[in-house]
PDB file of all heavy atoms in Angstrom:
ATOM      1  N   ALA A  14      15.728 -50.168  47.541  1.00 74.00           N
ATOM      2  CA  ALA A  14      14.430 -50.531  47.312  1.00 74.00           C
ATOM      3  C   ALA A  14      14.043 -50.709  45.992  1.00 74.00           C
ATOM      4  O   ALA A  14      14.707 -50.107  45.008  1.00 74.00           O
ATOM      5  CB  ALA A  14      13.562 -49.303  47.924  1.00 74.00           C
ATOM      6  N   ARG A  16      12.327 -49.619  42.642  1.00 48.00           N
ATOM      7  CA  ARG A  16      11.809 -48.359  42.206  1.00 48.00           C
ATOM      8  C   ARG A  16      10.330 -48.437  41.805  1.00 48.00           C
ATOM      9  O   ARG A  16      10.023 -48.936  40.789  1.00 48.00           O
ATOM     10  CB  ARG A  16      12.731 -47.937  41.042  1.00 48.00           C
ATOM     11  CG  ARG A  16      12.196 -46.517  40.356  1.00 48.00           C
ATOM     12  CD  ARG A  16      12.746 -45.467  41.104  1.00 48.00           C
ATOM     13  NE  ARG A  16      12.078 -44.080  40.654  1.00 48.00           N
ATOM     14  CZ  ARG A  16      12.358 -42.924  40.876  1.00 48.00           C
ATOM     15  NH1 ARG A  16      13.563 -42.659  41.576  1.00 48.00           N
ATOM     16  NH2 ARG A  16      11.729 -41.846  40.564  1.00 48.00           N
ATOM     17  N   THR A 107      -0.219 -27.760  62.957  1.00 90.00           N
ATOM     18  CA  THR A 107      -0.557 -28.631  61.942  1.00 90.00           C
ATOM     19  C   THR A 107      -1.350 -29.892  62.463  1.00 90.00           C
ATOM     20  O   THR A 107      -0.752 -30.636  63.199  1.00 90.00           O
ATOM     21  CB  THR A 107       0.676 -29.090  61.133  1.00 90.00           C
ATOM     22  OG1 THR A 107       1.322 -27.934  60.587  1.00 90.00           O
ATOM     23  CG2 THR A 107       0.361 -29.984  59.878  1.00 90.00           C
ATOM     24  N   ARG A 147      -3.542 -30.506  66.621  1.00 76.00           N
ATOM     25  CA  ARG A 147      -2.550 -30.939  67.654  1.00 76.00           C
ATOM     26  C   ARG A 147      -3.105 -30.856  69.059  1.00 76.00           C
ATOM     27  O   ARG A 147      -2.865 -31.559  69.968  1.00 76.00           O
ATOM     28  CB  ARG A 147      -1.322 -30.014  67.464  1.00 76.00           C
ATOM     29  CG  ARG A 147      -0.100 -30.546  68.472  1.00 76.00           C
ATOM     30  CD  ARG A 147       1.022 -29.617  68.219  1.00 76.00           C
ATOM     31  NE  ARG A 147       1.735 -29.611  67.028  1.00 76.00           N
ATOM     32  CZ  ARG A 147       3.024 -30.022  66.871  1.00 76.00           C
ATOM     33  NH1 ARG A 147       3.695 -30.553  68.003  1.00 76.00           N
ATOM     34  NH2 ARG A 147       3.569 -30.142  65.705  1.00 76.00           N
ATOM     35  N   ASP A 176       1.519 -38.884  52.235  1.00 98.00           N
ATOM     36  CA  ASP A 176       1.726 -38.236  53.521  1.00 98.00           C
ATOM     37  C   ASP A 176       2.174 -36.698  53.110  1.00 98.00           C
ATOM     38  O   ASP A 176       3.449 -36.621  52.789  1.00 98.00           O
ATOM     39  CB  ASP A 176       2.610 -38.930  54.297  1.00 98.00           C
ATOM     40  CG  ASP A 176       3.018 -38.263  55.620  1.00 98.00           C
ATOM     41  OD1 ASP A 176       2.412 -37.321  55.979  1.00 98.00           O
ATOM     42  OD2 ASP A 176       3.944 -38.889  56.486  1.00 98.00           O
ATOM     43  N   ARG A 190      -1.930 -25.242  57.741  1.00 95.00           N
ATOM     44  CA  ARG A 190      -1.831 -26.436  57.010  1.00 95.00           C
ATOM     45  C   ARG A 190      -2.135 -27.734  57.722  1.00 95.00           C
ATOM     46  O   ARG A 190      -2.112 -27.591  58.900  1.00 95.00           O
ATOM     47  CB  ARG A 190      -0.430 -26.585  56.572  1.00 95.00           C
ATOM     48  CG  ARG A 190       0.044 -25.720  55.363  1.00 95.00           C
ATOM     49  CD  ARG A 190       1.416 -25.446  55.464  1.00 95.00           C
ATOM     50  NE  ARG A 190       1.876 -24.642  56.516  1.00 95.00           N
ATOM     51  CZ  ARG A 190       3.179 -24.281  56.984  1.00 95.00           C
ATOM     52  NH1 ARG A 190       4.041 -24.905  56.242  1.00 95.00           N
ATOM     53  NH2 ARG A 190       3.198 -23.466  57.862  1.00 95.00           N
ATOM     54  N   ARG A 192      -1.803 -31.977  57.791  1.00 97.00           N
ATOM     55  CA  ARG A 192      -1.004 -33.169  57.249  1.00 97.00           C
ATOM     56  C   ARG A 192      -2.074 -34.222  56.683  1.00 97.00           C
ATOM     57  O   ARG A 192      -2.823 -34.774  57.431  1.00 97.00           O
ATOM     58  CB  ARG A 192      -0.195 -33.845  58.413  1.00 97.00           C
ATOM     59  CG  ARG A 192       0.774 -34.932  57.922  1.00 97.00           C
ATOM     60  CD  ARG A 192       1.530 -35.371  59.179  1.00 97.00           C
ATOM     61  NE  ARG A 192       2.394 -36.505  58.803  1.00 97.00           N
ATOM     62  CZ  ARG A 192       3.316 -37.132  59.463  1.00 97.00           C
ATOM     63  NH1 ARG A 192       3.352 -36.751  60.844  1.00 97.00           N
ATOM     64  NH2 ARG A 192       3.970 -38.293  59.074  1.00 97.00           N
ATOM     65  N   GLU A 266       0.652 -34.483  27.271  1.00 95.00           N
ATOM     66  CA  GLU A 266       0.170 -33.307  28.023  1.00 95.00           C
ATOM     67  C   GLU A 266       0.446 -32.025  27.210  1.00 95.00           C
ATOM     68  O   GLU A 266       1.504 -31.982  26.468  1.00 95.00           O
ATOM     69  CB  GLU A 266       0.848 -33.242  29.406  1.00 95.00           C
ATOM     70  CG  GLU A 266       2.363 -33.126  29.240  1.00 95.00           C
ATOM     71  CD  GLU A 266       3.137 -33.879  30.407  1.00 95.00           C
ATOM     72  OE1 GLU A 266       2.406 -34.396  31.306  1.00 95.00           O
ATOM     73  OE2 GLU A 266       4.301 -34.025  30.308  1.00 95.00           O
ATOM     74  N   SER A 275       7.715 -23.421  35.722  1.00 97.00           N
ATOM     75  CA  SER A 275       8.189 -22.035  35.493  1.00 97.00           C
ATOM     76  C   SER A 275       6.995 -21.111  35.626  1.00 97.00           C
ATOM     77  O   SER A 275       7.248 -20.012  36.026  1.00 97.00           O
ATOM     78  CB  SER A 275       8.926 -22.120  34.275  1.00 97.00           C
ATOM     79  OG  SER A 275       9.402 -20.633  33.900  1.00 97.00           O
ATOM     80  N   GLU A 279       6.829 -17.983  38.140  1.00 95.00           N
ATOM     81  CA  GLU A 279       6.628 -16.669  37.642  1.00 95.00           C
ATOM     82  C   GLU A 279       5.512 -16.056  38.313  1.00 95.00           C
ATOM     83  O   GLU A 279       5.581 -14.777  38.855  1.00 95.00           O
ATOM     84  CB  GLU A 279       6.389 -16.707  36.092  1.00 95.00           C
ATOM     85  CG  GLU A 279       5.801 -15.444  35.394  1.00 95.00           C
ATOM     86  CD  GLU A 279       6.663 -14.297  35.394  1.00 95.00           C
ATOM     87  OE1 GLU A 279       7.999 -14.584  35.333  1.00 95.00           O
ATOM     88  OE2 GLU A 279       6.281 -13.151  35.340  1.00 95.00           O
ATOM     89  N   THR A 282       6.207 -15.081  41.940  1.00 92.00           N
ATOM     90  CA  THR A 282       7.101 -13.966  42.041  1.00 92.00           C
ATOM     91  C   THR A 282       6.447 -12.678  41.781  1.00 92.00           C
ATOM     92  O   THR A 282       6.624 -11.541  42.382  1.00 92.00           O
ATOM     93  CB  THR A 282       8.338 -14.142  41.047  1.00 92.00           C
ATOM     94  OG1 THR A 282       8.923 -15.459  41.414  1.00 92.00           O
ATOM     95  CG2 THR A 282       9.374 -13.120  41.370  1.00 92.00           C
ATOM     96  N   GLU A 285       3.758 -11.552  44.655  1.00 84.00           N
ATOM     97  CA  GLU A 285       4.052 -11.446  46.059  1.00 84.00           C
ATOM     98  C   GLU A 285       3.468 -10.237  46.765  1.00 84.00           C
ATOM     99  O   GLU A 285       3.517  -9.118  46.231  1.00 84.00           O
ATOM    100  CB  GLU A 285       5.660 -11.362  46.090  1.00 84.00           C
ATOM    101  CG  GLU A 285       6.227 -12.212  47.198  1.00 84.00           C
ATOM    102  CD  GLU A 285       7.556 -12.691  46.760  1.00 84.00           C
ATOM    103  OE1 GLU A 285       8.212 -12.160  45.876  1.00 84.00           O
ATOM    104  OE2 GLU A 285       7.961 -13.757  47.216  1.00 84.00           O
ATOM    105  N   ASP A 369       2.965 -19.916  50.570  1.00 94.00           N
ATOM    106  CA  ASP A 369       3.973 -19.515  49.432  1.00 94.00           C
ATOM    107  C   ASP A 369       3.178 -18.725  48.320  1.00 94.00           C
ATOM    108  O   ASP A 369       3.194 -19.296  47.128  1.00 94.00           O
ATOM    109  CB  ASP A 369       4.689 -20.756  48.780  1.00 94.00           C
ATOM    110  CG  ASP A 369       5.950 -20.197  48.102  1.00 94.00           C
ATOM    111  OD1 ASP A 369       6.255 -19.007  48.061  1.00 94.00           O
ATOM    112  OD2 ASP A 369       6.577 -21.168  47.512  1.00 94.00           O
ATOM    113  N   HIS A 455       3.382 -32.975  46.658  1.00 98.00           N
ATOM    114  CA  HIS A 455       4.104 -31.907  47.360  1.00 98.00           C
ATOM    115  C   HIS A 455       3.301 -30.961  47.969  1.00 98.00           C
ATOM    116  O   HIS A 455       2.163 -30.660  47.525  1.00 98.00           O
ATOM    117  CB  HIS A 455       5.035 -31.239  46.362  1.00 98.00           C
ATOM    118  CG  HIS A 455       5.960 -32.284  45.600  1.00 98.00           C
ATOM    119  ND1 HIS A 455       7.056 -32.766  46.146  1.00 98.00           N
ATOM    120  CD2 HIS A 455       5.879 -32.764  44.364  1.00 98.00           C
ATOM    121  CE1 HIS A 455       7.596 -33.639  45.301  1.00 98.00           C
ATOM    122  NE2 HIS A 455       6.905 -33.501  44.176  1.00 98.00           N
ATOM    123  N   TYR A 458       0.995 -26.626  46.229  1.00 98.00           N
ATOM    124  CA  TYR A 458       0.733 -26.567  44.793  1.00 98.00           C
ATOM    125  C   TYR A 458      -0.877 -26.498  44.477  1.00 98.00           C
ATOM    126  O   TYR A 458      -1.233 -25.582  43.704  1.00 98.00           O
ATOM    127  CB  TYR A 458       1.221 -27.659  43.955  1.00 98.00           C
ATOM    128  CG  TYR A 458       2.678 -27.478  43.675  1.00 98.00           C
ATOM    129  CD1 TYR A 458       3.686 -28.498  44.101  1.00 98.00           C
ATOM    130  CD2 TYR A 458       3.108 -26.457  42.958  1.00 98.00           C
ATOM    131  CE1 TYR A 458       5.020 -28.420  43.807  1.00 98.00           C
ATOM    132  CE2 TYR A 458       4.494 -26.353  42.606  1.00 98.00           C
ATOM    133  CZ  TYR A 458       5.440 -27.392  43.134  1.00 98.00           C
ATOM    134  OH  TYR A 458       6.698 -27.225  42.767  1.00 98.00           O
TER     135      TYR A 458
ATOM    136  N   ALA B  14       2.466 -31.811  24.019  1.00 74.00           N
ATOM    137  CA  ALA B  14       3.879 -31.670  24.032  1.00 74.00           C
ATOM    138  C   ALA B  14       4.478 -32.982  24.090  1.00 74.00           C
ATOM    139  O   ALA B  14       3.896 -33.941  24.610  1.00 74.00           O
ATOM    140  CB  ALA B  14       4.364 -30.822  25.103  1.00 74.00           C
ATOM    141  N   ARG B  16       6.498 -35.742  25.795  1.00 48.00           N
ATOM    142  CA  ARG B  16       6.858 -35.965  27.189  1.00 48.00           C
ATOM    143  C   ARG B  16       8.321 -36.098  27.388  1.00 48.00           C
ATOM    144  O   ARG B  16       8.806 -37.115  27.066  1.00 48.00           O
ATOM    145  CB  ARG B  16       5.987 -37.076  27.713  1.00 48.00           C
ATOM    146  CG  ARG B  16       6.444 -37.606  29.148  1.00 48.00           C
ATOM    147  CD  ARG B  16       5.552 -36.916  30.138  1.00 48.00           C
ATOM    148  NE  ARG B  16       6.044 -37.012  31.503  1.00 48.00           N
ATOM    149  CZ  ARG B  16       5.384 -36.753  32.524  1.00 48.00           C
ATOM    150  NH1 ARG B  16       4.225 -36.207  32.622  1.00 48.00           N
ATOM    151  NH2 ARG B  16       5.943 -36.958  33.861  1.00 48.00           N
ATOM    152  N   THR B 107      11.559 -11.225  46.268  1.00 90.00           N
ATOM    153  CA  THR B 107      12.223 -12.316  45.562  1.00 90.00           C
ATOM    154  C   THR B 107      13.103 -11.830  44.495  1.00 90.00           C
ATOM    155  O   THR B 107      12.558 -11.260  43.383  1.00 90.00           O
ATOM    156  CB  THR B 107      11.214 -13.468  44.996  1.00 90.00           C
ATOM    157  OG1 THR B 107      10.486 -13.864  46.170  1.00 90.00           O
ATOM    158  CG2 THR B 107      12.021 -14.560  44.412  1.00 90.00           C
ATOM    159  N   ARG B 147      14.727  -7.380  43.537  1.00 76.00           N
ATOM    160  CA  ARG B 147      13.722  -6.664  42.763  1.00 76.00           C
ATOM    161  C   ARG B 147      14.049  -5.181  42.735  1.00 76.00           C
ATOM    162  O   ARG B 147      13.765  -4.439  41.976  1.00 76.00           O
ATOM    163  CB  ARG B 147      12.271  -6.870  43.513  1.00 76.00           C
ATOM    164  CG  ARG B 147      11.158  -6.350  42.713  1.00 76.00           C
ATOM    165  CD  ARG B 147       9.943  -6.467  43.587  1.00 76.00           C
ATOM    166  NE  ARG B 147       9.402  -7.853  43.437  1.00 76.00           N
ATOM    167  CZ  ARG B 147       8.269  -8.202  42.876  1.00 76.00           C
ATOM    168  NH1 ARG B 147       7.536  -7.410  42.215  1.00 76.00           N
ATOM    169  NH2 ARG B 147       7.870  -9.496  42.966  1.00 76.00           N
ATOM    170  N   ASP B 176      13.750 -23.313  36.624  1.00 98.00           N
ATOM    171  CA  ASP B 176      13.048 -22.024  37.195  1.00 98.00           C
ATOM    172  C   ASP B 176      12.351 -22.338  38.428  1.00 98.00           C
ATOM    173  O   ASP B 176      11.114 -22.868  38.494  1.00 98.00           O
ATOM    174  CB  ASP B 176      12.196 -21.511  36.069  1.00 98.00           C
ATOM    175  CG  ASP B 176      11.413 -20.118  36.510  1.00 98.00           C
ATOM    176  OD1 ASP B 176      11.772 -19.576  37.504  1.00 98.00           O
ATOM    177  OD2 ASP B 176      10.583 -19.585  35.724  1.00 98.00           O
ATOM    178  N   ARG B 190      13.612 -15.837  49.764  1.00 95.00           N
ATOM    179  CA  ARG B 190      13.842 -16.720  48.623  1.00 95.00           C
ATOM    180  C   ARG B 190      14.315 -15.977  47.379  1.00 95.00           C
ATOM    181  O   ARG B 190      14.163 -14.842  47.185  1.00 95.00           O
ATOM    182  CB  ARG B 190      12.486 -17.444  48.256  1.00 95.00           C
ATOM    183  CG  ARG B 190      12.215 -18.485  49.327  1.00 95.00           C
ATOM    184  CD  ARG B 190      10.770 -18.717  49.404  1.00 95.00           C
ATOM    185  NE  ARG B 190      10.058 -17.546  50.079  1.00 95.00           N
ATOM    186  CZ  ARG B 190       8.754 -17.407  50.066  1.00 95.00           C
ATOM    187  NH1 ARG B 190       8.070 -18.255  49.371  1.00 95.00           N
ATOM    188  NH2 ARG B 190       8.195 -16.371  50.654  1.00 95.00           N
ATOM    189  N   ARG B 192      14.663 -16.463  42.978  1.00 97.00           N
ATOM    190  CA  ARG B 192      14.207 -17.352  41.856  1.00 97.00           C
ATOM    191  C   ARG B 192      15.525 -17.744  41.195  1.00 97.00           C
ATOM    192  O   ARG B 192      16.212 -16.957  40.664  1.00 97.00           O
ATOM    193  CB  ARG B 192      13.373 -16.361  40.939  1.00 97.00           C
ATOM    194  CG  ARG B 192      12.727 -17.059  39.839  1.00 97.00           C
ATOM    195  CD  ARG B 192      11.773 -16.141  39.111  1.00 97.00           C
ATOM    196  NE  ARG B 192      11.187 -16.842  37.921  1.00 97.00           N
ATOM    197  CZ  ARG B 192      10.430 -16.168  37.054  1.00 97.00           C
ATOM    198  NH1 ARG B 192      10.005 -14.981  37.152  1.00 97.00           N
ATOM    199  NH2 ARG B 192       9.906 -17.008  35.966  1.00 97.00           N
ATOM    200  N   GLU B 266      17.377 -46.943  44.685  1.00 95.00           N
ATOM    201  CA  GLU B 266      17.606 -46.154  45.737  1.00 95.00           C
ATOM    202  C   GLU B 266      17.298 -46.917  46.932  1.00 95.00           C
ATOM    203  O   GLU B 266      16.366 -47.775  46.972  1.00 95.00           O
ATOM    204  CB  GLU B 266      16.736 -44.846  45.566  1.00 95.00           C
ATOM    205  CG  GLU B 266      15.319 -45.247  45.433  1.00 95.00           C
ATOM    206  CD  GLU B 266      14.508 -44.321  44.374  1.00 95.00           C
ATOM    207  OE1 GLU B 266      15.148 -43.481  43.854  1.00 95.00           O
ATOM    208  OE2 GLU B 266      13.345 -44.601  44.140  1.00 95.00           O
ATOM    209  N   SER B 275       7.386 -38.634  53.122  1.00 97.00           N
ATOM    210  CA  SER B 275       6.591 -38.815  54.389  1.00 97.00           C
ATOM    211  C   SER B 275       7.536 -38.515  55.546  1.00 97.00           C
ATOM    212  O   SER B 275       7.119 -37.887  56.588  1.00 97.00           O
ATOM    213  CB  SER B 275       6.215 -40.340  54.544  1.00 97.00           C
ATOM    214  OG  SER B 275       5.493 -40.520  55.760  1.00 97.00           O
ATOM    215  N   THR B 282       6.399 -31.498  60.596  1.00 92.00           N
ATOM    216  CA  THR B 282       5.227 -31.385  61.591  1.00 92.00           C
ATOM    217  C   THR B 282       5.762 -31.445  63.048  1.00 92.00           C
ATOM    218  O   THR B 282       5.330 -30.728  63.881  1.00 92.00           O
ATOM    219  CB  THR B 282       4.291 -32.497  61.340  1.00 92.00           C
ATOM    220  OG1 THR B 282       3.883 -32.508  59.874  1.00 92.00           O
ATOM    221  CG2 THR B 282       3.030 -32.407  62.141  1.00 92.00           C
ATOM    222  N   GLU B 285       7.832 -27.966  64.081  1.00 84.00           N
ATOM    223  CA  GLU B 285       7.128 -26.690  63.947  1.00 84.00           C
ATOM    224  C   GLU B 285       7.428 -25.699  65.141  1.00 84.00           C
ATOM    225  O   GLU B 285       7.208 -26.083  66.241  1.00 84.00           O
ATOM    226  CB  GLU B 285       5.586 -26.952  63.737  1.00 84.00           C
ATOM    227  CG  GLU B 285       5.016 -26.057  62.744  1.00 84.00           C
ATOM    228  CD  GLU B 285       3.884 -26.769  62.030  1.00 84.00           C
ATOM    229  OE1 GLU B 285       3.195 -27.552  62.646  1.00 84.00           O
ATOM    230  OE2 GLU B 285       3.621 -26.516  60.903  1.00 84.00           O
ATOM    231  N   ASP B 369       8.926 -23.114  55.266  1.00 94.00           N
ATOM    232  CA  ASP B 369       8.222 -24.258  55.548  1.00 94.00           C
ATOM    233  C   ASP B 369       9.099 -25.182  56.465  1.00 94.00           C
ATOM    234  O   ASP B 369       9.284 -26.209  56.305  1.00 94.00           O
ATOM    235  CB  ASP B 369       7.790 -25.134  54.405  1.00 94.00           C
ATOM    236  CG  ASP B 369       6.470 -26.012  54.751  1.00 94.00           C
ATOM    237  OD1 ASP B 369       6.168 -25.987  55.910  1.00 94.00           O
ATOM    238  OD2 ASP B 369       6.214 -26.807  53.889  1.00 94.00           O
ATOM    239  N   HIS B 455      11.556 -28.348  42.865  1.00 98.00           N
ATOM    240  CA  HIS B 455      10.462 -27.738  43.737  1.00 98.00           C
ATOM    241  C   HIS B 455      11.201 -26.867  44.802  1.00 98.00           C
ATOM    242  O   HIS B 455      12.258 -27.089  45.202  1.00 98.00           O
ATOM    243  CB  HIS B 455       9.677 -28.651  44.425  1.00 98.00           C
ATOM    244  CG  HIS B 455       9.038 -29.699  43.418  1.00 98.00           C
ATOM    245  ND1 HIS B 455       8.007 -29.528  42.537  1.00 98.00           N
ATOM    246  CD2 HIS B 455       9.423 -31.079  43.112  1.00 98.00           C
ATOM    247  CE1 HIS B 455       7.785 -30.602  41.827  1.00 98.00           C
ATOM    248  NE2 HIS B 455       8.588 -31.557  42.137  1.00 98.00           N
ATOM    249  N   TYR B 458      12.804 -27.730  49.539  1.00 98.00           N
ATOM    250  CA  TYR B 458      13.275 -29.092  49.856  1.00 98.00           C
ATOM    251  C   TYR B 458      14.784 -28.915  50.297  1.00 98.00           C
ATOM    252  O   TYR B 458      15.160 -29.616  51.257  1.00 98.00           O
ATOM    253  CB  TYR B 458      13.030 -30.025  48.781  1.00 98.00           C
ATOM    254  CG  TYR B 458      11.754 -30.536  48.824  1.00 98.00           C
ATOM    255  CD1 TYR B 458      10.929 -30.492  47.614  1.00 98.00           C
ATOM    256  CD2 TYR B 458      11.269 -31.328  49.750  1.00 98.00           C
ATOM    257  CE1 TYR B 458       9.644 -30.957  47.585  1.00 98.00           C
ATOM    258  CE2 TYR B 458       9.921 -31.917  49.817  1.00 98.00           C
ATOM    259  CZ  TYR B 458       9.107 -31.671  48.651  1.00 98.00           C
ATOM    260  OH  TYR B 458       7.837 -32.148  48.668  1.00 98.00           O
TER     261      TYR B 458
END
Side-chain angles (χ1 to χ4, degrees):
Chain A
R16 172 89 193 190
T107 301
R147 189 185 287 247
D176 184 3
R190 282 151 291 169
R192 185 173 177 183
E266 58 218 355
S275 179
E279 164 72 25
T282 306
E285 220 149 29
D369 202 6
H455 308 283
Y458 281 120
Chain B
R16 172 88 190 189
T107 300
R147 188 185 286 247
D176 183 4
R190 283 151 290 169
R192 185 173 177 184
E266 58 218 353
S275 180
T282 305
E285 220 149 29
D369 202 5
H455 307 283
Y458 281 120

